Amino acid sequence: MDHSGTVVIVARPGSDWSDSLEVLSERYAYRVLLVGTPAEALTAMSSIHVDLAVAEDRQEETVGLDFLTRLRVSHPEIMRVYVTPAPSSVSYQALAKAAIYQFLLTPLDPAQLGLVVERALEARELHRRHRILSREFKISGALMFGERREPVFRPESHQFEKLVYASEKMAEMCDVAKQAAATELPILIQGETGTGKELLARAIHYNSPRRASPLLVQNCGGMPDELLQSELFGHKRGAFTGAISDRLGLFRAADGGTVFLDEISDVSPSFQVSLLRFLQEGEVKPLGADKVIHCNVRIIAASNKPLQDLVAQGKFRQDLYFRLKGFEFEVPPLRDRPDDIGPLAEFFAAKHADAMGRKVLGITANTLEKLALCSFPGNVRELENEIRRMVALTNDGEYITTRNMAPSLLAAASARRQGDGLRGFVPEGITLKDQVESLEKQIVGRALIRNHWNQSRTAAELGLSRVGLANKIKRYNLNENG
Ligand SMILES: Nc1ncnc2c1ncn2[C@@H]1O[C@H](COP(=O)(O)OP(=O)(O)OP(=O)(O)O)[C@@H](O)[C@H]1O
Ligand SMILES: [Mg+2]
């Protein structure tokens, strides 16, 4: 499902965008999301990458322009195009404040819109390349003065919408998820807390043919049964005490789109029956109604307790479990994919430094090494919180170092590393001196590899002087090629 960019359009109710949608998606192969309100646009932006926003106003209105003005601050990288019946209806100051790329007059000419979007994205790409080139220039300048800097976006890291990963495990899972997205089958996502289940669900929706329709989220945990049923299936007025008017229900509100049911393991037996009926027949029956209503919704469910165990304990219907897992994904815990820790840490550091307006230079290799050894029971969420805290503690113009790492994590990492370093190691030689030396050779060699043969950093880590380290390298005949 390749596309050349994502465009979100905030349309006024009742206006006809069909020709423009066709031009943008057919001729230019953009992925287009048509939404009715700025709030919906922001929800979409929190889970997918958007390149350009188009907002429309009618005479005397400024809802669209206000939205673009806010976007300039909250998402400065998104290009902005404004559609208005008459430029005279807004002040030039207001237009300047939104810093739009271009405005277009209604009635809209779809071909002109297509061209403007294309040019805007070209301009942005040129701007981006310019920024990267000047950054590289600065980095090579810094190198000349002996500083070393890792690029923020490593070549091995990938993104599936907002999911960042580098590990083989996640790459395989995201490949299948992209294929699953194109189908209509229900999806079950399992995994420990904080592993990214919701992010995966959102990525699947926005890569599915349903992406222009809503994705509605319902957390099923800790909800009284009647309330949950009425939230999802709706109710008729008077169906129960307090039901003072008809309620539509999430399933019908999401018609054509996706409903994400979080913490599905928590639902009652009677809710399980209603959900099963929906999955089998595509029908919902609002509480208190006598007729069933058909609606076309794809279900993505998530659970952090293994459903299979609940089935075995008789707490979850087996037939429902089988229906839900049209595709089944198990998001691995972070400790089982240490390759993701570095790229995620750097991604979060850049994200939170930006959000806090801080200019940290990056994370030192030693810190990344330590982070990769931590087990993170709270998974990616815990790592993100930790990095956010470390960014807050780092001064502008400095690197994030282990000095800012939570003591508990640091201790866990050192314990693990020493364990790893010595496990299975059999010293060579017979005399004590020979055995101690072979151990020393091993420790120095591993520290050099960990620090990518940066001798100052290795010396600092081992508490040696640079000359002391150089002597040991010579004595043990260590070299970069092993
Ligand atoms: N691969 C990833 N790339 C970027 N951010 C991620 C990734 N995985 C998780 N996150 C971030 O970590 C946090 C937790 O992710 P999410 O809410 O999707 O987890 P979850 O599995 O649904 O957790 P829970 O079971 O507690 O509901 C979010 O802030 C999310 O943005
Ligand atoms: Mg969740």
Side-chain angles (χ1 to χ4, degrees):
M1 220 172 296
D2 283 339
H3 50 78
S4 47
T6 300
V7 177
V8 63
I9 299 176
V10 185
R12 301 295 309 144
S15 50
D16 181 11
W17 280 83
S18 50
D19 290 344
S20 298
L21 291 185
E22 194 179 318
V23 168
L24 291 176
S25 53
E26 302 292 320
R27 196 176 317 156
Y28 290 96
Y30 294 126
R31 172 167 72 160
V32 189
L33 298 179
L34 187 67
V35 298
T37 61
E40 281 173 52
L42 289 174
T43 309
M45 280 169 199
S46 69
S47 40
I48 58 165
H49 174 83
V50 168
D51 300 290
L52 183 140
V54 181
E56 181 190 18
D57 273 329
R58 296 225 180 95
Q59 205 86 40
E60 307 300 326
E61 272 183 357
T62 59
V63 180
L65 191 62
D66 293 345
F67 167 63
L68 295 178
T69 310
R70 270 179 283 134
L71 217 53
R72 178 189 184 183
V73 180
S74 65
H75 297 74
E77 71 293 353
I78 297 182
M79 297 299 276
R80 300 169 295 278
V81 172
Y82 184 45
V83 175
T84 170
S88 56
S89 66
V90 282
S91 72
Y92 282 102
Q93 274 129 316
L95 281 177
K97 204 167 150 213
I100 51 170
Y101 177 77
Q102 186 65 277
F103 67 76
L104 296 171
L105 299 182
T106 47
L108 201 58
D109 178 343
Q112 189 188 13
L113 175 69
L115 213 57
V116 165
V117 169
E118 192 186 31
R119 289 291 165 271
L121 294 182
E122 264 171 22
R124 195 183 70 141
E125 180 57 21
L126 284 175
H127 180 68
R128 197 180 69 87
R129 281 191 206 169
H130 176 256
R131 239 188 17 237
I132 291 175
L133 285 174
S134 44
R135 191 178 73 191
E136 269 170 16
F137 190 67
K138 267 192 231 134
I139 291 171
S140 59
L143 271 180
M144 293 194 327
F145 296 102
E147 275 181 47
R148 211 189 126 96
R149 187 184 162 141
E150 314 276 346
V152 167
F153 292 107
R154 305 171 169 203
E156 74 270 23
S157 79
H158 301 279
Q159 275 194 275
F160 176 36
E161 297 301 342
K162 301 261 159 164
L163 283 170
V164 174
Y165 58 92
S167 64
E168 201 56 40
K169 284 187 178 152
M170 287 296 281
E172 276 169 22
M173 191 186 79
C174 290
D175 283 347
V176 182
K178 285 175 199 166
Q179 290 176 309
T183 72
E184 289 285 293
L185 291 173
I187 291 183
L188 177 63
I189 304 175
Q190 307 203 73
E192 290 179 12
T193 178
T195 46
K197 297 184 293 297
E198 179 158 352
L199 226 49
L200 178 65
R202 291 177 178 275
I204 290 173
H205 169 76
Y206 285 109
N207 279 270
S208 79
R210 296 172 174 269
R211 62 178 164 256
S213 301
L215 164 70
L216 299 181
V217 177
Q218 177 65 50
N219 190 326
C220 305
M223 283 266 272
D225 190 50
E226 198 170 63
L227 187 59
L228 185 62
Q229 299 247 10
S230 102
E231 283 293 329
L232 287 175
F233 303 123
H235 62 237
K236 296 295 282 181
R237 188 177 159 189
F240 52 87
T241 342
I244 46 175
S245 58
D246 284 2
R247 164 175 261 176
L248 184 61
L250 223 57
F251 277 111
R252 282 165 67 205
D255 206 9
T258 306
V259 168
F260 175 53
L261 298 175
D262 208 356
E263 299 193 39
I264 190 72
S265 54
D266 284 12
V267 300
S268 71
S270 103
F271 181 86
Q272 294 181 28
V273 174
S274 312
L275 186 58
L276 185 63
R277 177 169 61 207
F278 173 75
L279 286 166
Q280 282 167 340
E281 323 286 348
E283 285 169 350
V284 294
K285 190 157 173 279
L287 290 178
D290 38 15
K291 279 203 301 262
V292 293
I293 299 161
H294 192 84
C295 60
N296 170 13
V297 162
R298 180 192 211 172
I299 303 284
I300 304 183
S303 168
N304 48 30
K305 297 180 201 127
L307 278 191
Q308 202 162 12
D309 295 355
L310 297 178
V311 169
Q313 294 161 20
K315 292 186 186 143
F316 200 88
R317 292 181 71 110
Q318 188 171 42
D319 46 5
L320 178 59
Y321 170 60
F322 285 135
R323 280 274 169 183
L324 284 173
K325 58 178 197 132
F327 278 92
E328 193 176 14
F329 295 100
E330 177 78 39
V331 189
L334 191 55
R335 63 181 170 282
D336 289 352
R337 43 181 167 113
D339 291 354
D340 285 344
I341 293 180
L344 279 169
E346 286 181 329
F347 169 77
F348 291 138
K351 172 175 148 187
H352 292 294
D354 260 6
M356 297 181 211
R358 303 294 286 276
K359 305 222 162 11
V360 303
L361 295 179
I363 309 180
T364 63
N366 182 31
T367 311
L368 287 172
E369 202 81 46
K370 294 246 159 58
L371 287 170
L373 291 168
C374 297
S375 59
F376 294 111
N379 293 297
V380 185
R381 183 179 293 115
E382 183 182 353
L383 173 65
E384 177 164 10
N385 289 341
E386 175 64 11
I387 300 290
R388 189 191 296 125
R389 209 182 51 79
M390 288 167 81
V391 169
L393 292 174
T394 305
N395 296 325
D396 281 359
E398 287 182 4
Y399 283 89
I400 297 174
T401 68
T402 48
R403 256 183 302 134
N404 305 325
M405 207 163 148
S408 56
L409 283 182
L410 203 54
S414 318
R416 173 101 180 266
R417 194 180 62 208
Q418 274 158 19
D420 275 1
L422 298 176
R423 194 182 306 144
F425 174 69
V426 184
E428 285 167 35
I430 297 167
T431 65
L432 176 64
K433 182 166 175 286
D434 285 348
Q435 292 197 31
V436 169
E437 280 186 355
S438 81
L439 180 60
E440 187 174 71
K441 175 179 177 187
Q442 184 79 10
I443 291 172
V444 174
R446 284 182 187 221
L448 282 163
I449 293 170
R450 248 194 328 274
N451 289 295
H452 309 294
W453 272 78
N454 179 322
Q455 295 192 22
S456 339
R457 236 188 262 153
T458 309
E461 184 186 313
L462 296 176
L464 293 171
S465 66
R466 283 209 50 166
V467 177
L469 177 66
N471 285 339
K472 295 209 186 294
I473 291 174
K474 210 158 120 206
R475 166 143 43 108
Y476 296 129
N477 208 1
L478 295 166
N479 64 61
E480 241 181 299
N481 307 320

